[in-house]
Amino acid sequence: MDSATLSARLLAWYARRRRDLPWRRDVNPYRVWISEVMLQQTRVEAVRPFYERWLARFPDVAALAVAEEEEVLRYWAGLGYYRRARMLHAAARRVVAAGGELPRSRAGWRELPGVGEYTSAAIASIAFGEAVPVVDGNVKRLAARFLALELAADDRALHRKAEEWAGQLVVAAPAPGDLNQALMELGATVCTPRAADCEHCPLVGACASTGGDPLARPLPTRRPRWREVRLEHRLARRDGRVLLVQCRESGWTPGLWEPPRLAVGEDRSGLIPLGTVRHVISRHRIEATAFLDPGWDGSGGVDPERVPLSGLGRKLLGLLDRA
DNA sequence: TACACGTGGAG
DNA sequence: TCTCCAAGTGT
């Protein structure tokens, strides 16, 4: 089956089955940009509320550029991969400093911090109709199954094959942005990692995995080993304020806030064990024990509503509320 | 280049 | 409970 036919099938399926998502209403380059960055390695359902709040507070690139980083991070807190927010903010400031016009081409977008190979192609195709393929996890999975490629998800060879395959489809499509979104939508809803609903797939028959075992591809990747980490934190509260410190630039969640860690060997006399929380960051499994410091003099106190809390910080403060 | 970077949902 | 992994990017 030729690319034009496949593209037409995908577009027809997409027109019928596309989900109603906030960033698919009132499409403009800024909104597409925000949605694409939020969606990096993040599920649609997780993004939805963050996107709505963000757009209400930062409706355009100018509003984002003039905001303080602390507030930007507060609107991102809970979404994860916080570097995305800081790069988004830096990019907005750069755009505004250069006159306020957002780029109109893939190459222009690619120069902005936080906008890589995938995101530049997504924005250029969706917001400007540029016929460039997107290669995300969905497209790679679809390509592996459609072309019956015995390659692992993290294999660069699969990335190249997927780009080539999607490239043929997107140049054959009258609406490149919709074609790209159709591929990703298909991967997210019909041809998922753990299920393949071939009955409802517009590519059934043309796909090399039809009647076979689509779930066998792409091949499994090797996982990095978990690292167990034990931490101890000092918690204190006084007059509605709590003891918080800002995470270092070199840490897991730079710029975010959490209760300070107890150094190894630090004096624990006078501290009361509050409990333990578990938290996962990247490949680290953290077990954090909280100690209440009833003698805190209030110095360094922060209103927890006013700063972006790390996930671990949020869990630790939860122990404080129950104490 | 391999690795670091978050979080939460699904099975 | 546990593993996998989601519309990636930067170093």
Side-chain angles (χ1 to χ4, degrees):
Chain A
M1 191 174 297
D2 62 83
S3 298
T5 307
L6 289 175
S7 285
R9 284 192 183 194
L10 283 161
L11 288 171
W13 173 84
Y14 182 64
R16 205 165 57 243
R17 300 293 176 193
R18 60 188 261 166
R19 290 168 289 180
D20 177 31
L21 302 174
W23 45 91
R24 289 181 177 163
R25 306 192 275 262
D26 297 318
V27 173
N28 72 41
Y30 173 76
R31 297 168 64 100
V32 173
W33 178 26
I34 301 304
S35 68
E36 288 302 337
V37 174
M38 285 189 171
L39 284 161
Q40 289 168 8
Q41 298 286 287
T42 309
R43 294 171 185 283
V44 162
E45 290 313 317
V47 167
R48 212 191 272 267
F50 285 87
Y51 178 84
E52 304 272 25
R53 279 198 298 272
W54 182 282
L55 261 290
R57 174 61 189 86
F58 312 114
D60 51 42
V61 67
L64 178 55
V66 299
E68 295 296 328
E69 178 173 282
E70 188 107 313
E71 189 181 17
V72 171
L73 280 173
R74 222 168 63 223
Y75 276 78
W76 201 278
L79 242 197
Y81 284 131
Y82 298 100
R83 199 167 44 168
R84 292 183 294 176
R86 310 178 96 195
M87 290 189 294
L88 201 46
H89 190 218
R93 291 192 158 178
R94 188 189 293 187
V95 165
V96 166
E101 284 292 305
L102 291 170
R104 304 185 59 82
S105 68
R106 179 183 190 184
W109 280 99
R110 187 69 181 79
E111 291 172 19
L112 292 177
V115 179
E117 212 178 339
Y118 162 79
T119 305
S120 58
I123 299 170
S125 64
I126 296 169
F128 298 102
E130 195 170 323
V132 288
V134 296
V135 183
D136 73 334
N138 290 305
V139 175
K140 286 196 281 190
R141 183 171 58 257
L142 259 51
R145 293 175 181 176
F146 187 91
L147 301 170
L149 303 173
E150 303 294 326
L151 297 169
D154 62 351
D155 192 327
R156 280 302 294 183
L158 176 55
H159 192 284
R160 283 194 301 275
K161 295 279 188 187
E163 187 169 29
E164 194 181 327
W165 179 64
Q168 291 168 1
L169 297 175
V170 78
V171 297
D178 284 347
L179 187 282
N180 283 336
Q181 292 188 84
L183 287 174
M184 296 189 283
E185 190 86 343
L186 192 61
T189 62
V190 170
C191 197
T192 69
R194 320 264 303 239
D197 184 10
C198 299
E199 273 184 54
H200 295 99
C201 179
L203 304 183
V204 71
C207 173
S209 292
T210 305
D213 184 10
L215 301 187
R217 301 186 191 87
L219 270 31
T221 59
R222 206 169 299 160
R223 295 260 134 218
R225 293 221 179 99
W226 287 104
R227 286 185 186 173
E228 306 291 339
V229 179
R230 281 187 173 71
L231 300 174
E232 296 177 320
H233 290 258
R234 187 155 70 106
L235 273 65
R237 174 168 50 189
R238 192 173 177 132
D239 304 329
R241 301 172 84 79
V242 294
L243 177 59
L244 293 172
V245 294
Q246 194 165 23
C247 301
R248 292 193 314 270
E249 287 303 309
S250 56
W252 287 312
T253 54
L256 277 72
W257 295 69
E258 61 191 27
R261 287 186 200 170
L262 283 169
V264 180
E266 188 173 338
D267 182 21
R268 281 160 182 58
S269 58
L271 301 185
I272 305 161
L274 269 187
T276 296
V277 297
R278 297 197 61 82
H279 188 68
V280 171
I281 294 177
S282 189
R283 57 192 280 211
H284 308 274
R285 280 204 270 244
I286 301 169
E287 186 183 279
T289 302
F291 291 87
L292 178 65
D293 180 357
W296 180 48
D297 64 4
S299 61
V302 174
D303 177 356
E305 304 288 322
R306 294 291 308 273
V307 296
L309 293 172
S310 69
L312 177 59
R314 197 154 23 90
K315 288 181 184 175
L316 288 167
L317 290 191
L319 289 178
L320 200 53
D321 289 336
R322 269 174 272 144

